[in-house]
Amino acid sequence: MSTAVDAVLSERFGIGALYPVQRRVVDRVLSGGDALVVLPTGSGKSLCYQLPAVLREGEMDDPGVCLVFSPLIALMEDQVASLKARGIRATYINSTLSKKERERRQDAVRDGAFELVYATPERMARPGFRDAIETVGVKLLAVDEAHCITKWGHDLRPAYQEIGRFREELGRPVTVALTATATREVREDILRVLGTDEREMPLFAEPIERPNLSLDAEQIWSDEDKVAAVRRVAAANAGTGIVYFSLIKELERFVPLLSRALPRGEAGGCEVGVYHGKLPPREKKRVYERFAAATPGDRLVLLATNAFGMGVDKPDIRFIVHAQMPGSVEAYFQEVGRAGRDGEPSSCLLLMSEDDLAVQTEFTQWQNPGAELLLELGRVMAGSDHHDWDAEELRLKVFGKAGGHSKRAVIEYAMIDLEKRGVVERTGFSGEHEKVRGEVTRYRFVRPLDESEVDRDEIENKRKRDLTRLLRVLEMSRSGNVRGFVNDYFEV
């Protein structure tokens, strides 16, 4: 089998050899065993299920597809595009597709047209998708971003907690659960939700240690301090870098400040790019392609929110600066993990200020909308003939002209919550306001929200957990040893 693995790895993925831990996972899966995979960002987690999915067809007499549960639509679309470019038969089925296109792809799934099928776990509640999956059969189940399974993780999705039940209903296919960031508590909860234990689903992990990354934190007191720190890091590290901001409005405020500090077009100067979630799709594509193609001589500095990151596979990112504090140690480590994937030295600097702590605290409140707001939004949408909504329309419906930006932000996060619960689904973007503020996400009402689905105590507990994670970032920044703090946090 080793010869077959190496041949397919080279011929279909264009890769010369697996890392030792990847080889162990692939061997485990090909022998019919489950695996819990915890590997740092950029360590090739996806190959741990993509390679067996391709190998099992033809090498083993197993019918069915590899079903991949992924939480992010953009990430699954990027992965499918990459696989198709290599001639691997993959598809995704999600809410961005028209009903006609979803039905066409589901018919193709039934006919065995694909080796890998990507979807969010919410899709399992849809009869058409479920019928297609059950008809073709699932030989391998991959649970990507598996920390979404557990309330102890940093991005709980309710449908992920149903994956254990889905797995039973699918006949307990060979299962691989993968994540880049998981404390011991998170790992134990992943196994519990999947209905298994360490004996049946052993852990395959690598130390999170990345010796080529310098991890530092610095207290700053003003915009001038922040600009000076970014300029210093960019000057010391030739090549491409990312400066992360938490809020779009803060990013946009710093664009002219940093553009002046890192002048364009001068010898030794830096080109400044901008990326965030509200850019029009064409501009996002342009910025991404420019970033991916940048060479060390280009000295490109990208100012971005965390909307830029998932699926980015550029090996030579030389520095990452967090110009505003991230919301958790997990988010911080995922983001710095995008630097130095080529093994060369890269600098990672976390800038901390009291103002940014206040911003993140408010941000955390927005991200945890209350039970009454969720129920009210459900009632408004259920009682209207209008089936397609954006956050501004709902803000006006629920709050009238009061509230402004903060109320709109809360509504936006409430809609994300309702999407995770399967109450609404994302349909795409409105062009109505595109010239003014970029993309406006629109949602289709799917089903009523029952009050029994909303656990008030759990909503409050999650808010408290998120605030505790924020405080751990503050502790990390003041520890004097960021690397040691991260290692202790993840118990490595």
Side-chain angles (χ1 to χ4, degrees), residues 29-82:
V29 172
L30 291 176
S31 67
D34 303 327
L36 173 58
V37 180
V38 181
L39 297 177
T41 301
S43 297
K45 290 185 296 296
S46 299
L47 200 58
C48 291
Y49 64 82
Q50 291 173 348
L51 180 57
V54 173
L55 267 162
R56 288 170 70 90
E57 184 183 64
E59 296 297 332
M60 304 180 71
D61 190 21
D62 251 351
V65 298
C66 173
L67 173 60
V68 185
F69 283 137
S70 177
L72 297 174
I73 287 173
L75 181 58
M76 71 172 74
E77 291 175 353
D78 287 347
Q79 291 203 351
V80 167
S82 177

Side-chain angles (χ1 to χ4, degrees), residues 274-487:
V274 176
Y275 189 103
H276 56 71
K278 291 188 177 180
L279 290 177
R282 184 175 297 178
E283 179 65 5
K284 282 183 180 177
K285 182 174 185 290
R286 186 195 68 78
V287 173
Y288 176 84
E289 289 177 348
R290 174 70 187 98
F291 180 85
T295 67
D298 291 334
R299 299 181 67 87
L300 171 63
V301 180
L302 183 66
L303 313 187
T305 62
N306 62 6
F308 187 85
M310 284 292 188
V312 174
D313 191 22
K314 184 174 176 58
D316 59 348
I317 296 174
R318 292 279 67 89
F319 65 90
I320 288 180
V321 178
H322 281 88
Q324 290 183 285
M325 68 183 293
S328 67
V329 178
E330 290 91 341
Y332 165 80
F333 194 69
Q334 280 191 334
E335 287 157 10
V336 298
R338 291 164 191 147
R341 294 185 183 181
D342 56 3
E344 296 298 317
S346 298
S347 297
C348 303
L349 178 62
L350 169 62
L351 301 177
M352 292 293 298
S353 75
E354 299 299 325
D355 289 345
D356 288 340
L357 177 60
V359 167
Q360 271 291 3
T361 301
E362 184 179 26
F363 199 37
T364 299
Q365 301 288 2
W366 294 347
Q367 289 177 307
N368 290 277
E372 297 310 321
L373 177 59
L374 296 176
L375 291 167
E376 177 62 16
L377 288 171
R379 285 191 289 267
V380 166
M381 290 185 288
S384 173
D385 293 332
H386 188 48
H387 297 296
D388 189 43
W389 302 83
D390 68 27
E392 180 64 11
E393 292 165 348
L394 285 164
R395 183 187 72 82
L396 292 171
K397 193 78 173 177
V398 173
F399 297 112
K401 295 182 179 180
H405 173 73
S406 63
K407 295 297 185 186
R408 177 185 169 85
V410 173
I411 293 285
E412 287 175 342
Y413 281 102
M415 294 306 288
I416 292 171
D417 188 302
L418 293 174
E419 181 186 18
K420 292 176 180 179
R421 296 172 187 269
V423 174
V424 299
E425 64 180 12
R426 199 170 305 205
T427 60
F429 304 100
S430 165
E432 181 181 353
H433 309 295
E434 187 167 322
K435 291 181 180 178
V436 178
R437 62 173 188 256
E439 293 179 355
V440 178
T441 307
R442 300 196 67 82
Y443 296 89
R444 179 189 302 120
F445 179 69
V446 175
R447 65 168 182 84
L449 176 66
D450 191 275
E451 187 162 355
S452 64
E453 298 177 66
V454 182
D455 187 330
R456 289 170 170 79
D457 289 341
E458 179 52 36
I459 288 173
E460 177 60 17
N461 288 337
K462 180 182 180 298
R463 185 187 68 83
K464 290 178 179 178
R465 288 196 299 270
D466 288 351
L467 287 171
T468 299
R469 287 193 182 92
L470 191 56
L471 290 176
R472 297 305 302 275
V473 179
L474 183 61
E475 292 171 12
M476 178 177 70
S477 73
R478 294 175 174 175
S479 67
N481 182 4
V482 174
R483 187 182 303 278
F485 188 98
V486 170
N487 286 340

Side-chain angles (χ1 to χ4, degrees), residues 190-201:
I190 289 171
L191 296 177
R192 181 190 62 79
V193 172
L194 291 177
T196 187
D197 56 32
E198 290 182 3
R199 182 182 58 82
E200 293 184 354
M201 182 176 273

